[in-house]
Amino acid sequence: MSKPMTMSQKILAHHAGKEYVEPGDLIFANVELVLGNDVTTPVAIKEFEKIGIDRVFDKDKIAIVPDHFTPNKDIKSAQQCKMVREFAKKYEITNYFEVGEMGIEHALLPEKGLVVPGDLVIGADSHTCTYGALGAFSTGIGSTDMACAMATGKCWFKVPEAIKFVLYGKKTGWTSGKDIILHIIGMIGVDGALYKSMEYTGEGLKSLSMDDRFTIANMAIEAGAKNGIFEVDEKTIEYVKHHSTKPYKIFKADEDAEYSEVYEIDISKIKPTVAFPHLPENTKTIDEITEKIYIDQVVIGSCTNGRIEDLRIAAKILKGRKVKKGLRCIIFPATQNIYKQALKEGLIEIFIDAGCVVSTPTCGPCLGGHMGILADGERALATTNRNFVGRMGHPSSEVYLSSPAIAAASAVLGYIGSPEELGMKGDEE
């Protein structure tokens, strides 16, 4: 009789060709996809060339997405993108996405059907953990590991312990996936899941859309986790069938699998939540914020919250309203398809009429790159995933994290507040 395993253990065992793996094991495993961007891929290319081979392991299983400093913000970023572009051409990389067809990588790859349940995915970007929403094991790695994986199709892993999050109840009001993950990080801390797998299950999953799940899985790294992963259900399968033709394999945790901790969370009790500077764990619910925190900039977008549901929520609040005079509101649809859908639905017009700037898909200011850098002493409220010192610009600037609903309302109010302050009640669903 085989020993019980978690979802992550099962996927890692399968790809390592083993019947069983346990936490702490060091394994070599075959990967389904190797991802890089315009910041991390140039380093990987230099290391790849040192190996001295004239081919990649599989041109269909490498994805390169120039999304961080694109469209090229300066000469250095242009040089990096040129190196990546030439590498992709030389090795005939199928899934190289040029500016104009790209998107923010962690929104683009699921949309393109490149990740499905049961996959083992590595990416030279820490938020590669996003694809756990699809029931895949996906995690960030360094550029040297990316180089080796492009050559061999393999990577080494230390099998992580797992924390089980049993979600029950339904979202209420303006609460979203972003509020759920901020609540969890506030509860366990930025090192609360250090090198562990955050595994989500429970009847509360029915209340979470795929966009909610991508947001929750995306921020697993902000709790220190190796990966985040959701149990596959009907919503997952529906999404995969709509986006992909790849075969998939569902791995379900054994009932008696061992977890280092188990948390039961009633999501109906979670309120809109804001992370204060300078850590994602520094959280307060919106009704715990007693003082008016005035802001200079609002950013709605990123690999965390730039999907169509996020834009619909922001547009619902901004429709017929104006961004507070003197405040900048920048909106980043996460992919070209999302941008097109937002155009069709009239969301872009709502944003522009409200006084927002709408950008082509890019990581932009999230990492302090471009398209919205903060000056000294400025405050921003963003739907992004990190708010470390200097994350979005000047070291003396401050970044607060929230959901699109809180961000949009705050853009109108001029300070951090809720849609209810604008007389809007949340959807009870």
Side-chain angles (χ1 to χ4, degrees):
M1 186 175 175
S2 60
K3 294 180 182 178
M5 289 189 285
T6 65
M7 284 185 275
S8 292
Q9 283 175 270
K10 285 187 174 184
I11 294 173
L12 290 171
H14 175 75
H15 289 275
K18 295 176 177 288
E19 285 189 14
Y20 175 77
V21 295
E22 65 180 43
D25 284 355
L26 295 176
I27 61 169
F28 264 104
N30 296 312
V31 298
E32 239 88 40
L33 192 66
V34 182
L35 168 68
N37 56 50
D38 53 307
V39 174
T40 57
T41 304
V43 180
I45 290 170
K46 290 174 184 175
E47 295 305 310
F48 179 87
E49 289 172 346
K50 291 177 186 176
I51 298 171
I53 59 174
D54 60 359
R55 51 155 186 81
V56 294
F57 86 102
D58 189 328
K59 64 184 180 66
D60 297 329
K61 292 187 175 183
I62 295 169
I64 301 177
V65 187
D67 61 354
H68 277 53
F69 294 135
T70 55
N72 302 338
K73 82 177 184 82
D74 54 22
I75 293 170
K76 285 185 178 179
S77 61
Q79 290 297 125
Q80 284 188 301
C81 287
K82 183 183 179 186
M83 180 192 288
V84 169
R85 188 177 299 116
E86 290 174 348
F87 177 85
K89 185 177 180 181
K90 179 180 179 180
Y91 293 98
E92 300 178 330
I93 305 300
T94 307
N95 296 302
Y96 168 71
F97 298 97
E98 187 55 90
V99 172
E101 60 183 9
M102 52 70 80
I104 301 173
E105 55 195 323
H106 306 310
L108 184 68
L109 266 55
E111 182 185 277
K112 294 290 185 182
L114 296 179
V115 183
V116 295
D119 277 357
L120 177 54
V121 180
I122 57 172
D125 185 274
S126 60
H127 292 106
T128 302
C129 51
T130 305
Y131 318 129
L134 294 166
F137 184 98
S138 59
T139 192
I141 44 94
S143 293
T144 48
D145 282 331
M146 180 188 174
C148 293
M150 287 196 297
T152 66
K154 297 177 182 290
C155 192
W156 73 275
F157 299 87
K158 180 182 174 184
V159 179
E161 287 185 289
I163 302 175
K164 186 177 185 178
F165 294 88
V166 183
L167 307 182
Y168 63 96
K170 292 182 178 182
K171 290 184 300 174
T172 59
W174 292 102
T175 299
S176 68
K178 182 63 162 287
D179 302 297
I180 293 168
I181 190 58
L182 287 177
H183 170 83
I184 289 171
I185 295 169
M187 179 176 70
I188 69 173
V190 292
D191 59 354
L194 195 59
Y195 208 91
K196 294 181 181 181
S197 175
M198 298 174 74
E199 302 204 351
Y200 296 94
T201 185
E203 53 93 8
L205 297 192
K206 294 175 184 175
S207 176
L208 302 180
S209 67
M210 286 308 301
D211 284 3
D212 282 324
R213 299 177 196 195
F214 284 125
T215 298
I216 293 169
N218 173 270
M219 289 189 68
I221 186 65
E222 312 313 335
K226 179 69 174 175
N227 69 306
I229 188 166
F230 277 76
E231 189 174 299
V232 174
D233 62 9
E234 297 84 1
K235 285 186 181 179
T236 323
I237 300 304
E238 184 183 346
Y239 182 94
V240 170
K241 286 182 177 177
H242 182 69
H243 289 275
S244 187
T245 56
K246 282 178 60 176
Y248 59 86
K249 188 173 177 64
I250 298 171
F251 292 90
K252 190 174 171 65
D254 294 317
E255 285 188 18
D256 51 350
E258 289 187 18
Y259 297 91
S260 60
E261 296 97 12
V262 177
Y263 294 98
E264 294 193 3
I265 298 172
D266 182 356
I267 59 178
S268 70
K269 293 183 178 177
I270 294 176
K271 298 175 181 178
T273 301
V274 176
F276 278 51
H278 290 281
L279 287 173
E281 71 179 17
N282 190 14
T283 56
K284 291 184 180 181
T285 58
I286 196 70
D287 55 359
E288 290 173 337
I289 303 172
T290 53
E291 74 276 29
K292 283 188 178 178
I293 300 168
Y294 291 94
I295 49 179
D296 302 288
Q297 179 168 292
V298 167
V299 175
I300 299 172
S302 84
C303 63
T304 314
N305 281 121
R307 297 175 181 84
I308 194 64
E309 279 184 15
D310 302 314
L311 301 187
R312 285 171 182 155
I313 290 166
K316 183 176 180 179
I317 294 163
L318 289 166
K319 187 174 184 178
R321 295 184 170 90
K322 292 285 185 184
V323 170
K324 188 75 172 179
K325 193 75 173 172
L327 185 147
R328 294 104 58 193
C329 182
I330 313 172
I331 297 178
F332 297 86
T335 68
Q336 292 286 63
N337 275 349
I338 292 167
Y339 201 142
K340 277 173 62 180
Q341 185 63 33
L343 275 167
K344 286 178 186 174
E345 295 182 17
L347 310 185
I348 303 299
E349 187 172 351
I350 290 170
F351 297 145
I352 293 172
D353 287 347
C356 304
V357 172
V358 183
S359 165
T360 188
T362 179
C363 297
C366 175
L367 68 155
H370 60 139
M371 295 292 293
I373 304 305
L374 298 176
D376 63 310
E378 289 193 317
R379 282 184 184 145
L381 178 64
T383 67
T384 55
N385 43 48
R386 287 186 179 147
N387 60 344
F388 308 145
V389 174
R391 172 71 179 177
M392 205 172 276
H394 196 280
S396 70
S397 62
E398 294 182 337
V399 178
Y400 296 74
L401 305 176
S402 79
S403 68
I406 298 301
S410 301
V412 176
L413 293 165
Y415 57 85
I416 299 176
S418 74
E420 276 147 1
E421 291 184 61
L422 300 171
M424 298 185 71
K425 291 188 176 180
D427 299 322
E428 297 289 335
E429 62 176 40

